[in-house]
Amino acid sequence: GENVEQHPSTLSVQEGDSAVIKCTYSDSASNYFPWYKQELGKRPQLIIDIRSNVGEKKDQRIAVTLNKTAKHFSLHITETQPEDSAVYFCAARWSGGYNKLIFGAGTRLAVHP
Amino acid sequence: ETGVTQTPRHLVMGMTNKKSLKCEQHLGHNAMYWYKQSAKKPLELMFVYSLEERVENNSVPSRFSPECPNSSHLFLHLHTLQPEDSALYLCASRGDGYTFGSGTRLTVV
């Protein structure tokens, strides 16, 4: 069935450290993997995404890697800042149609000054 | 503003009330979604509308009734809800990824 697992559920780092969040997906035909950041009381916002035809994508301090064979993808945040504190959700687009996204359970990231 | 607007932002309703949530998008997208976000759970897909036709209903109880009168508007009609239905209800429209609205925080008392 459609499933995305996300780990860890909580992550606490010191400012300046790196943070890594990992997700695995079950639909081998998934071809699009976005990451969303949700700050407290706000809507989820797309921060980076990757398609299945590339293995890595970077945007300043954020990078995403994809291993299609293993069906897992990861979010990497370098030089973390307190404003990076939020809940991060990974998602995989289900191949069955309608661009349906299946979300992971989320990772609560806390960056301590 | 993201282009996806949800109203109201907050709603408190009794179990016997009838209310509606509204979502409006002006992004030219042709698919819209209702998600439920509860504490410590993944975002749960409730309904998918594509070209104004409901194409998926993920076993959602009949006390939730969606309506999509046109490609820019999506409603979620609520009737005789239960306290466990209290959650953040998010609307999204499809671009490459999703663009989410700010959500309606629903509390059922």
Side-chain angles (χ1 to χ4, degrees), chain A residues 34 62 72 77 92 98 110:
Chain A
I62 294 175
H72 66 68
I77 305 174
Y98 310 116

Side-chain angles (χ1 to χ4, degrees), chain A residues 82-95:
Chain A
E83 51 266 37
D84 294 329
S85 297
V87 178
Y88 291 80
F89 294 95
C90 64
R93 182 162 62 193
W94 181 61
S95 62

